[in-house]
Amino acid sequence: MKILICISDVPDTTTKIKFTNDNKELDQTEIQWIINPWDELALTRAIELKESLGEKIESITVINVGPAGSEPTIRKALAMGADNAIRVDADPKESYFVAYQLAEAIKSRDFDIILAGLDSADYNGASVGGMMAELLDMPSVSAISALNIENGKVFINREIEGGTQKLEAQTPFVAIVQKGIAIEPKIPAMRGIMMARTKPLEVVAPANADCLTENIVYELPQPKGACRKFTEENVNELVDVLHKEAKLI
Amino acid sequence: MNFEFTEEQKMIRQAAKDFAERELLPDVIERDTRSEFPAEHIKKLSELGFLGMMTDLKYDGGGMDTISYVLAMEEISKIDSSVSVVMSVCNSLVNWGIEKFGSEKQKEKYLRPLASGQKIGAFLLSEPEAGSDATKQRTIAEDKGDHYLVNGTKNFITNANCASTYIVIAQTDPEKGHKGINALLIEKDAPGITLGPHDDKMGMRSSDTHSVMFTDVKIPKENRIGEDGFGFKFAMQTLDGGRIGIAAQANGIAAGAFERALNYSQERKAFGTEIGNHQAIAFKLADMAVKIENARNMCLKAAWLKDQNKPFGYQSAMAKLYCADIAMEVTTEAVQIFGGYGYMKEYHVERLMREAKLTQIYEGTSEIQKIVISRSLMK
Amino acid sequence: MTLLVYAENREGKFKKATFELLSYAEELAKSINADVIALSVNEISPDELNKLGHYGAKKVVSVTDEKFALLDNKLYTSMIANLVEKENAEIIIFPDNLTGRALAPRLSAKLKAGLVSGVVSAPSSYDPFVIKKKVFTGKAFADVKVSSAIKVLTLSQNSFGIKDPSGDTPQIEDFKAEAVSEKSNIKLLSVDKITGKLLLTDAEIVVSGGRGMRGPENWNMIEELADVLGAATACTRPVSDEGWRPHDEHVGQTGKIIAPVLYIACGISGAIQHIGGISSSKVIVAINKDPDAPIFEVADYGVLGDFKNVLPELTKAIKEIKGS
């Protein structure tokens, strides 16, 4: 079985977000880039499967749409345990554009399961996996919180509004994963880090793709007013305020 | 000159940081209070390859440079030096010593399981009556033809219980003085080796420190590292490298305390504003930052020299001296910034201060470093 | 021209979020002189379907074919795309929840229609079409321009509000989606349904606990408070990582992002990743013994104290109000 994981690089989730150029662009000066947390969990699960199933998982490939500057993120994925990587050499402008690039790069290749994160910690499109699946005319299952392979069959749990379904899925398909797929992202081992540079990283030219959306301006949330504080002794007053002033309870 | 870290070095630093924050931070205070050895944590650390980072890939090590090791040591030490001291002993004393001076057979048998993290090593030099003056070894390795018979006591031995492989420094020919000393490899479970009780320490309380007694312990001759009488030189050269690790550890302790103090200064309010806005605190923070920046540069320079195969003993002694001293200063100031809270265990800085003290003492006290430095100046 | 709203139901009843979607769609429809059509999938009582009209749908399209019993992203997308074409829909609106996130991206690619997910307000202009959404996991907003003729939106919950149900009875129409003939690639083995319990993402009030709760044994206090408030319970990431609470309760950047009317944070220090998941809450109440906890920076009301003292008091006082 061959597994592909789509990865993007996003600002570290602890980063304070700032904008420049009249709030038209993200201020990248103090940003540390990381693998999108959802994608990192997807990759972690793929590696876990390979560790437990051995040769039944023939290969783990990661693919990224990004400029050369995103290669450290790709190398991190290789250090964690991916076998090889593909980078589509394009600036990831918006979801449809990225999904189109991915689909073009993937369609001539052969994968059984394509993993994508449910959301991304940058522009929160929650969209690339589903768009790519449609462009590949491949089935997709969303919000997967567990993925197992037994005797060549793929079993998944997916969260739906109001519950969890246990499903058997036929391959090939696009698995759009969320938290729970793996507990914590894998920390790369020292040997993995040193071997990352020796693993193949194929750079492919981008296809001609349209952009359907454009972020024209950003804004930060309005700062909150001062917090009105109460003590253990006057909890009743708080309840009174919530009831009478704020009318919330 | 290039001050930029490589992609791999950055990745290693991040991996160490993630490991420390995720695995070590949650229970570090409890472990310290109970003097509990972090066995599970060390197992995970070894699986990730942190114990054999610098050993060549062909012996199942990580094949990394000293700079990578320094970055990892610093990140782990920001959280828990009882763990980083295990890394330090394994990487820079035991593994490096065997790789640099051991025979091919010794490397196959001893280095491989150490470098891959399956086994832990310990370095047995200090004695009850031979600390700073390591030439006066009372542990005797009597030459019995095909083997040595070892008798004596080593103390303050890090990893004494968790290690499987010991390098023991012992006197074979007292008449030759330090030129009669040998370094011998031995398995901990060899007959005649007994451990004293766990040492109850001021800081790094959960590291595994014991005295080790040798009673008629037989060590085959083939387990001697290098020629007969090479032991003292072996110990001194190994310690030169070890100092870089301790300097990095000291920097981690200082940086850990500094980061906490900096955050606290931006949150805690007094006299109507965050305490960081008061010059008394702001200047303290500035002084601390300068010291840490200096200390890091010294430590990295020593590491760089070692990586370039250039002499580094002088710089590593300077780094060890300076980094340990500023670790003590910075952690003390961090406790001061936290005020009453700083004196409480919950806020970590008092523990870091206790840990800092040890970096001025072990692997050559600050005074010994000054001897090394001044001798280099006047040779 | 029409606006198509995906009207989601749970156990035979339409969700509040659906009515919010319709209220929102009606507002948009007024501005562009269009009609709102609601799409309902699976068997629903006529009374319920009529409600869609009360909240703004002129027409309700009901799909009850067996082949859509199980949510299959690809099949559903084909069906919805057929409907979009048939009804000449120009804007398609989904809830920003698991269902919307499963379907909207596929539909967007199929129709080559720009997608904006996590929309928080009505468009600021229609030509060009510009609309505001959450980005950086709630830490900022972006105005997004959509250049395609058809647009797909997912609407953040509790960001718009629900209008009074004053609309007319809608025209109800069955839709067969005969053109969809493929087979699903998934087979349902079992379902673990959350029944009777308020869903976290649907809840107007959420009571949440962090590491400061010190252990799972103290969660009964959270549950009791949630009970009297009719609230859902939630937790921070460390809490779910420790296994004190299930993962589906994790709220934060990498967990669920919620926007309740009232969020009560107990023993939560307020790490930036957690704040990202709750910052759209209308009112935040924080209970923490550490006066410097960053949660107080984002809270509207705070109680400085030990949860062990505060929570029972709070529960008791609210019970009294509810009782009177």
Side-chain angles (χ1 to χ4, degrees), chain B residues 79-128:
Chain B
I79 311 281
D80 190 352
S81 284
S82 291
V83 170
S84 68
V85 71
V86 179
M87 268 175 77
S88 153
V89 170
C90 289
N91 277 292
S92 45
L93 300 184
V94 179
N95 295 1
W96 188 79
I98 302 174
E99 187 175 13
K100 178 97 177 165
F101 302 110
S103 67
E104 206 50 46
K105 210 173 152 192
Q106 288 167 346
K107 290 181 198 175
E108 280 301 324
K109 185 172 175 190
Y110 293 102
L111 181 58
R112 197 174 285 285
L114 287 165
S116 62
Q118 289 160 287
K119 288 187 175 172
I120 292 175
F123 191 80
L124 290 74
L125 173 64
S126 289
E127 298 193 352

Side-chain angles (χ1 to χ4, degrees), chain A residues 221-222 224, chain C residues 134-141 251-253 256-260 263 271-284 295 298-300:
Chain A
Q222 296 297 319
K224 281 242 176 183
Chain C
K134 284 191 244 186
V135 289
F136 298 103
T137 52
K139 285 187 279 192
F141 299 99
V251 163
Q253 282 188 45
K256 291 196 166 67
I257 295 182
I258 57 171
Y263 184 79
I272 189 164
Q273 293 98 327
H274 184 71
I275 302 298
I278 62 157
S279 57
S280 304
S281 307
K282 291 262 155 22
V283 171
I284 295 172
I295 188 79
V298 296
D300 300 275

Side-chain angles (χ1 to χ4, degrees), chain A residues 122-125 134 138 140 158 164 166 168 170 179 210 212 214 216-217 219 224 228 230 232, chain C residues 71 106 112 117 132-133 136-137 141 143 145 147 185 187 189-190 192 194 250 300 302 304 306:
Chain A
D122 47 8
Y123 300 103
N124 294 106
E134 186 62 37
M138 217 185 248
S140 64
R158 77 158 161 190
T164 307
K166 207 171 172 44
E168 187 188 332
Q170 272 167 11
K179 199 183 141 85
D210 292 326
L212 304 179
E214 183 194 351
I216 47 179
V217 68
E219 70 184 270
K224 281 242 176 183
R228 193 161 149 195
F230 300 84
E232 282 186 9
Chain C
L71 173 66
R106 285 204 77 121
K112 208 177 172 187
S117 44
K132 196 181 294 299
K133 75 171 297 243
F136 298 103
T137 52
F141 299 99
D143 281 350
K145 187 171 93 181
S147 50
N185 80 312
K187 192 167 81 189
L189 304 175
S190 64
D192 189 3
I194 306 168
H250 162 202
D300 300 275
L304 198 58
D306 194 318

Side-chain angles (χ1 to χ4, degrees), chain C residues 144-263:
Chain C
V144 185
K145 187 171 93 181
V146 184
S147 50
S148 56
I150 304 178
K151 289 106 186 157
V152 181
L153 312 176
T154 72
L155 180 69
S156 287
Q157 284 175 32
N158 294 328
S159 62
F160 192 74
I162 299 175
K163 69 164 219 161
D164 290 330
S166 56
D168 297 332
T169 305
Q171 171 197 348
I172 297 178
E173 205 177 280
D174 276 346
F175 181 57
K176 290 287 175 228
E178 277 134 357
V180 182
S181 58
E182 325 162 48
K183 282 243 173 333
S184 175
N185 80 312
I186 48 172
K187 192 167 81 189
L188 183 64
L189 304 175
S190 64
V191 191
D192 189 3
K193 260 195 190 162
I194 306 168
T195 44
K197 197 177 140 189
L198 187 60
L199 293 186
L200 183 50
T201 42
D202 289 347
E204 296 207 337
I205 304 180
V206 172
V207 184
S208 182
R211 262 185 96 95
M213 292 296 297
R214 279 176 258 159
E217 66 279 5
N218 293 322
W219 240 262
N220 61 329
M221 288 183 238
I222 299 252
E223 277 160 358
E224 279 161 21
L225 177 59
D227 243 19
V228 297
L229 286 167
T233 55
C235 68
T236 61
R237 178 179 163 160
V239 167
S240 72
D241 282 355
E242 290 278 349
W244 296 356
R245 299 298 292 177
H247 283 298
D248 60 17
E249 283 200 6
H250 162 202
V251 163
Q253 282 188 45
T254 54
K256 291 196 166 67
I257 295 182
I258 57 171
V261 176
L262 175 60
Y263 184 79

Side-chain angles (χ1 to χ4, degrees), chain B residues 127-296:
Chain B
E127 298 193 352
E129 286 164 78
S132 290
D133 185 0
T135 60
K136 296 287 180 293
Q137 293 288 311
R138 299 239 180 137
T139 299
I140 300 297
E142 198 183 334
D143 191 336
K144 292 281 188 185
D146 65 337
H147 68 271
Y148 292 102
L149 197 64
V150 180
N151 279 287
T153 300
K154 294 287 176 181
N155 73 345
F156 307 144
I157 302 306
T158 306
N159 297 352
N161 191 33
C162 66
S164 318
T165 306
Y166 284 176
I167 296 178
V168 56
I169 310 296
Q171 185 67 267
T172 297
D173 189 348
E175 283 180 15
K176 288 190 185 159
H178 69 268
K179 286 179 179 158
I181 290 173
N182 278 313
L184 307 170
L185 280 158
I186 183 164
E187 303 286 341
K188 187 192 97 188
D189 53 13
I193 294 179
T194 49
L195 298 191
H198 176 264
D199 289 334
D200 195 8
K201 304 190 293 299
M202 172 187 182
M204 301 197 204
R205 293 178 48 76
S206 44
S207 84
D208 171 34
T209 321
H210 297 257
S211 50
V212 181
M213 278 77 75
F214 291 81
T215 313
D216 291 338
V217 179
K218 271 188 178 178
I219 302 181
K221 277 255 170 95
E222 61 183 34
N223 282 16
R224 187 186 69 216
I225 298 175
E227 295 297 306
D228 185 29
F230 179 65
F232 185 75
K233 213 170 169 188
F234 169 85
M236 290 307 110
Q237 290 212 18
T238 307
L239 285 175
D240 278 344
R243 282 172 190 136
I244 298 175
I246 301 306
Q249 181 182 53
N251 289 342
I253 294 169
F258 173 71
E259 285 167 15
R260 288 176 189 282
L262 179 62
N263 284 338
Y264 187 76
S265 305
Q266 290 167 302
E267 281 172 13
R268 171 76 178 185
K269 289 182 180 146
F271 306 104
T273 181
E274 284 79 12
I275 59 170
N277 294 334
H278 297 300
Q279 199 181 62
I281 301 297
F283 279 18
K284 272 191 204 301
L285 290 167
D287 286 339
M288 290 157 89
V290 170
K291 286 173 184 171
I292 292 170
E293 177 72 15
N294 258 336
R296 275 185 175 140

Side-chain angles (χ1 to χ4, degrees), chain A residues 54-66:
Chain A
E55 287 174 358
K56 284 179 192 152
I57 306 296
E58 288 166 66
S59 64
I60 299 175
T61 306
V62 292
I63 186 167
N64 165 266
V65 177

